[in-house]
Structure formats: structure tokens, C-alpha cells
Amino acid sequence: MSKVRVRFAPSPTGYLHIGGLRTALYNYLYAKKHGGEAILRIEDTDRTRYVEGAIENLIESLEWAGISHDEGVCVENGEVTQRGEFGPYIQSQRLDIYQKYVDELIEKGHAYYCFCSKERLDNLREEQRIKGKVPKYDGLCRGIPLEEAKKRIEAGEDYVVRLKLPKDKDIIFNDLVRGKVRINSDEMDDQVLMKSDGFPTYHLAVVVDDHLMGITHVVRGEEWLPSTPKHVYLYECFGWDAPTFVHLPTVLNKDRKKLSKRQGDVSVEDFRKRGYLPEGIVNYLALVGWSPEDGNEILTMDELKEKFDFDRVGKSGGIFDTDKLNWVNSHYIKSYDLDKLAKLSIPFVVKSGLMTEEEINSNFDWFKILIDTVREAIDKLEDIPEHIKFIFGDIKITEEDAKSELAQEHVPTLLDSFIKIVKAHDEIDMEIAKGLMKEVQKDSGVKGKKLYMPVRAAISGNVHGPEMQNIIYLIGKDKLIERAEKIKAEIC
């Protein structure tokens, strides 16, 4: 087999869709497993949908996810640039190339000029719908002699170029996910290859680019499966070998409908803003439509490169399950480097108003312990403020179990001991926090749950939560005394 070369070729129409990231990931994993090369190409021939800054955003999203490309479009020093010997890698910069190949198709009789107006085409499709037919071009301009067509163009008539499909021809290709696919040309349309504005359609540009860039495997979403026979036929018209095709199942929501903005987060940017880690997103996305042979579901990028292949990609749509994503992401949060996790958490805490960035940076060692204390309880970084807010400001005892613990007869005396022990220390560092409850036990004579539960309820408002020593350290001497005294006053 020749060296594997794959491409991810998004359109710059906005933020990168989470399904697009999975396509990029599968391309990347397959290339890396087989020692091949991954190319990033930008397909921007539909100028009506172009969004300024979209190229930079999608490259940033790919890099955030750990997906790099060997050649193609990149960003260097804030500027969109290109690297590699098969460029340009931005389709709008390749118009002369497409014109050359569309001219070749016309001269060989595989394509023709079409002068039908939009109004005629709209009326044709409407008439076909009314009659219950599949809307498609009726071939009115197929028979116009080439010389006559060229004269009409010279006279200034608007035109497009269409593919001239043969009649009643079975077009067959093999797909690594779908198996053998067969479709008859009579079921297809004479596809527009070149639009009236001089820009190629996807169907021409993708075939020309994939051939000239040496792409061996075309890995894309299943929405392109119906168009692939036209692409296969175009390869035949040019006399080129077609690549291997891989059409991936669609990413679906729990209702088995295509993942859409109407149902919530769909862009990579959405998930970044909510505090999902790149490792969690990549690990989970790999599992949406694919499964490893050993059944292990927690996989690093290196492990994915080793295990991934298309023979275990399913035909049916992969369900995007947010609960499963949260489970995977929480695994990475629990094991993440604490320094990195704390730094990533800063914007979420600042946004909540609990601390300023200056306060966090001035007390970063304390802040790291704060994040380490709650990491076991969170699925994503946006959950942090809800789990740390008990450390700041006043607390209210609303939990029924906490109220029950504080209502016990021995609690006022226990809180007296706790307040006395805390006051006896100049400050509460972590070493003191670790042994503080033993001091309270010795002074009060209270042990076990009768010791820990009421004190936990008094200082945090809950009977369950993070390790007691961490809570004591994080709350600090003054606030521990203040909270214990307040609760004692309320229950006496």
C-alpha cells in the first residue's frame, strides 16, 4: 500500500462542529497509526457562507484538541499561512487549476455548458415534485453543440458547467465502513461542476484536489455518500485512480436526530467554554461510532493512535451522550496535573465572582488545594464555583441531615471545644488542619460521627463533602471561629 495520506477539509463557515472534530480526529488517528500524513485543506468555494476568522478558530480548536497536521493551512505569528508542496491548500486560491480541469472535461465530452435560468430550474423542480418525481435537471442543454455554446458565452450569456453522466451506468465503489456501494447513473443528477461566478462546486474541487494532493483515503461524513458515485465517475473521466472512501456515521443526539444547535452545545468552542478538557473530549469523541477491541473506554491519544482502525467503526449513527462525556471528562479531571488544572480553573472562578484573578495569583498554593479538594466531585470546570462557594462568605444550614446533627444535645459543648482549639493556634496551616480534630476529640471527649458530623455541618453547612482537613485549612482560622460561634448562638 502506498503511503497513507488523508485530509480534513472543512469550510470556514463558523465554529468547528463537534462532529467535524470527530472527522478530523479519525483522519488523524488513521494517518498516525499507519505512519502516514494528515493534511488540512480549506474548502471555501461557497463564498456566501464564508465567516471572517473561521479559519483561525478551527485551527485553534484542532490544536487545542491535540490534532496536528503535517501540511496544509496553519497559523503562524497570528497569520494564516500554508506549508507543503501541494498547495495552495485554500480552494479559493486554486481557481485556475479548476478551470483547467473543467475545460478538459468539456473538450472530452464529459461535461457541458448549461444556460438554464434559475427561474426555469425552480419551475422544473416544482413540477417534478407535484408529479412525485425526484427533482433533478432534465438535461435540456446536454445537446447544445460545443461551438454554439461557446458563441453564446462570448455573447455574454450566463452559464454553469454540468457533469454529463452516462445513461444507465452502474457506478460501484467500496467503502471501508459501508462495504460495496452500487448506484445507477439514471438515479443521479447532472451535477453542476462550475458555478456562474467562476467558482467550482464541491464535487469538482474535491476530486481535483484529492488527486493532485495524493490523498489515498477520503474520510468524511455519511452525508457525502450519495455524491460519491459522481466523484467516482469523475475520477474515471480524468483517467485517475480513485482513493479509498470512508463515510463515517453521523453524530446524533439521544433522540437519534442529527446533533443541532437547537438542542444545545454543538461546537468545540461551546465545550471549551464549559470547561471540558481536550483529553476528555478527544477520548469520548473517539468512542462515538467506534470501539476498541479490548473494550477499554479510557484511552490517551497515543493509545488511540495504536488501536484505531475503520473496521470497528459502526454503520449506524453514533449517539452523543453528555452523561458519558461527563464520566470520561471527570476521569481526566481527577488525574490531571494539579498546576495545569488550577490554571485552567481560574477563568471559571473569576467569572463566578468568588475571587479575583489577582487574589488567586496572590494565593495560588491555597487555590491549588481548593481545586484539588473539589476535583473528585466535578465533571467539568464550570462546575467548580458551585462546589467551592461554601468556603466564601456566610453559610446557611438548609440540609436536613445537617440540622439533625446540630440538634444533638452535646453539640454546644463540642463547638466550645472546637472554638477553643482553633483560637489556640496563631494560624491554621495544613499541618495543623490535619491534627485539629484529634485535638478537639481529646478536649471534648467526643469521638467518631458524633465528633465529625456536627463540626462539619457547623463550618460547611453539609454533613458530606471533601476531606475535613482540607475544609478546615481552606476556611481559615477567623472564619472557622465566626461560623462555629454563629451556629452555637443559633442552637443555644
Side-chain angles (χ1 to χ4, degrees):
M1 185 174 73
S2 59
K3 188 173 188 178
V4 168
R5 280 176 61 84
V6 300
R7 86 300 194 271
F8 178 54
S11 298
T13 56
Y15 290 123
L16 179 61
H17 190 282
I18 201 75
L21 180 62
R22 189 194 63 169
T23 300
L25 175 64
Y26 282 11
N27 271 281
Y28 175 75
L29 294 176
Y30 187 76
K32 296 304 124 180
K33 175 170 182 173
H34 294 280
E37 294 166 339
I39 294 94
L40 177 62
R41 187 172 74 219
I42 300 298
E43 298 188 343
D44 64 339
T45 56
D46 187 348
R47 304 306 290 173
T48 62
R49 299 177 63 216
Y50 179 80
V51 174
E52 195 69 37
I55 294 176
E56 292 88 339
N57 171 267
L58 75 87
I59 291 173
E60 183 188 4
S61 294
L62 291 170
E63 289 178 347
W64 172 82
I67 298 172
S68 59
H69 289 87
D70 301 288
E71 65 184 74
V73 183
C74 54
V75 173
E76 294 178 356
N77 300 318
E79 296 291 325
V80 175
T81 60
Q82 302 176 51
R83 63 171 182 265
E85 59 182 288
F86 296 96
Y89 296 90
I90 297 176
Q91 287 186 335
S92 60
Q93 299 174 9
R94 298 172 61 83
L95 300 187
D96 290 346
I97 297 172
Y98 305 131
Q99 188 63 57
K100 170 190 170 185
Y101 285 102
V102 85
D103 289 345
E104 180 182 321
L105 290 172
I106 289 170
E107 293 300 324
K108 288 181 176 179
H110 297 307
Y112 61 94
Y113 296 108
C114 174
F115 300 93
C116 293
S117 66
K118 182 179 183 302
E119 181 182 13
R120 179 186 184 273
L121 295 174
D122 288 344
N123 290 337
L124 173 65
R125 292 188 190 100
E126 184 59 29
E127 184 181 328
Q128 289 170 332
R129 284 192 196 96
I130 291 170
K131 293 180 179 179
K133 297 180 179 179
V134 176
K136 67 176 188 175
Y137 183 60
D138 60 357
L140 179 70
C141 295
R142 280 176 69 113
I144 298 174
L146 183 56
E147 289 307 312
E148 179 186 333
K150 288 181 177 179
K151 287 178 182 177
R152 291 174 67 171
I153 292 169
E154 287 176 9
E157 280 196 56
D158 289 336
Y159 68 93
V160 298
V161 176
R162 289 183 181 273
L163 174 65
K164 185 182 283 187
L165 284 169
K167 298 296 184 183
D168 192 25
K169 176 183 175 68
D170 280 341
I171 299 173
I172 303 168
F173 66 94
N174 189 59
D175 185 281
L176 291 189
V177 173
R178 311 282 161 173
K180 183 178 283 189
V181 178
R182 178 195 302 264
I183 190 166
N184 191 276
S185 60
D186 289 351
E187 300 173 36
M188 298 188 290
D189 203 2
D190 279 1
Q191 184 70 52
V192 172
L193 300 178
M194 186 73 79
K195 296 176 285 186
S196 58
D197 61 2
F199 278 80
T201 61
Y202 172 82
H203 308 283
L204 174 69
V206 72
V207 169
V208 170
D209 289 348
D210 286 344
H211 172 72
L212 296 181
M213 294 179 186
I215 302 304
T216 61
H217 294 73
V218 171
V219 184
R220 59 191 176 190
E222 67 180 357
E223 65 270 19
W224 294 112
L225 189 61
S227 299
T228 303
K230 299 174 190 178
H231 302 168
V232 171
Y233 181 65
L234 269 174
Y235 277 101
E236 185 180 318
C237 292
F238 284 122
W240 299 336
D241 291 334
T244 300
F245 292 98
V246 186
H247 288 91
L248 305 174
T250 304
V251 178
L252 307 173
N253 63 23
K254 284 186 177 180
D255 298 327
R256 303 198 69 80
K257 294 178 181 177
K258 190 173 181 180
L259 207 60
S260 160
K261 188 71 178 174
R262 289 189 296 274
Q263 287 107 27
D265 298 332
V266 295
S267 75
V268 178
E269 189 71 15
D270 290 332
F271 291 93
R272 290 181 66 178
K273 285 179 178 177
R274 296 188 65 191
Y276 287 95
L277 301 178
E279 294 86 350
I281 287 285
V282 164
N283 186 160
Y284 176 67
L285 268 184
L287 303 174
V288 182
W290 170 83
S291 60
E293 193 169 1
D294 60 11
N296 184 17
E297 294 189 306
I298 300 299
L299 298 161
T300 65
M301 183 71 91
D302 285 341
E303 289 170 328
L304 288 170
K305 290 176 189 176
E306 180 187 338
K307 296 182 179 183
F308 182 80
D309 223 323
F310 291 118
D311 58 359
R312 294 191 61 82
V313 172
K315 294 180 182 179
S316 59
I319 305 299
F320 192 92
D321 183 346
T322 305
D323 291 337
K324 181 74 172 287
L325 167 62
N326 288 343
W327 175 77
V328 173
N329 199 63
S330 69
H331 167 86
Y332 287 95
I333 286 176
K334 290 178 177 69
S335 58
Y336 220 62
D337 177 81
L338 182 55
D339 265 12
K340 290 181 181 178
L341 188 67
K343 286 172 183 173
L344 290 173
S345 303
I346 291 174
F348 297 90
V349 176
V350 170
K351 184 181 178 181
S352 72
L354 294 172
M355 296 181 76
T356 66
E357 190 166 352
E358 185 180 355
E359 288 171 334
I360 293 171
N361 290 329
S362 302
N363 302 277
F364 194 66
D365 287 340
W366 179 91
F367 184 74
K368 284 198 297 184
I369 293 174
L370 175 66
I371 299 304
D372 196 34
T373 298
V374 299
R375 68 156 87 190
E376 290 284 330
I378 63 172
D379 297 326
K380 51 197 176 300
L381 302 186
E382 74 168 5
D383 299 340
I384 289 173
E386 185 62 28
H387 288 271
I388 66 172
K389 65 182 183 181
F390 76 92
I391 297 292
F392 306 88
D394 296 328
I395 58 167
K396 292 183 179 179
I397 309 298
T398 57
E399 189 185 79
E400 289 303 317
D401 287 347
K403 290 178 181 179
S404 297
E405 291 294 340
L406 292 170
Q408 297 179 84
E409 187 177 344
H410 74 286
V411 170
T413 305
L414 173 61
L415 291 179
D416 278 337
S417 287
F418 179 78
I419 293 165
K420 182 175 75 172
I421 296 299
V422 172
K423 284 182 175 180
H425 294 284
D426 293 332
E427 62 174 308
I428 306 294
D429 60 21
M430 186 55 84
E431 278 305 306
I432 290 171
K434 287 177 181 178
L436 192 88
M437 291 306 292
K438 287 187 177 179
E439 292 185 62
V440 176
Q441 175 184 322
K442 186 175 181 181
D443 186 78
S444 66
V446 181
K447 299 179 180 179
K449 287 181 65 177
K450 285 185 173 291
L451 169 68
Y452 281 91
M453 290 297 197
V455 172
R456 182 186 282 274
I459 64 176
S460 72
N462 296 284
V463 293
H464 301 289
E467 286 189 43
M468 193 70 160
Q469 64 189 39
N470 288 32
I471 295 175
I472 291 170
Y473 167 74
L474 291 167
I475 292 174
K477 177 178 177 177
D478 293 343
K479 200 165 284 183
L480 288 170
I481 294 168
E482 178 188 325
R483 290 182 178 183
E485 287 180 339
K486 182 181 176 185
I487 292 299
K488 185 193 169 193
E490 288 175 358
I491 63 178
C492 286

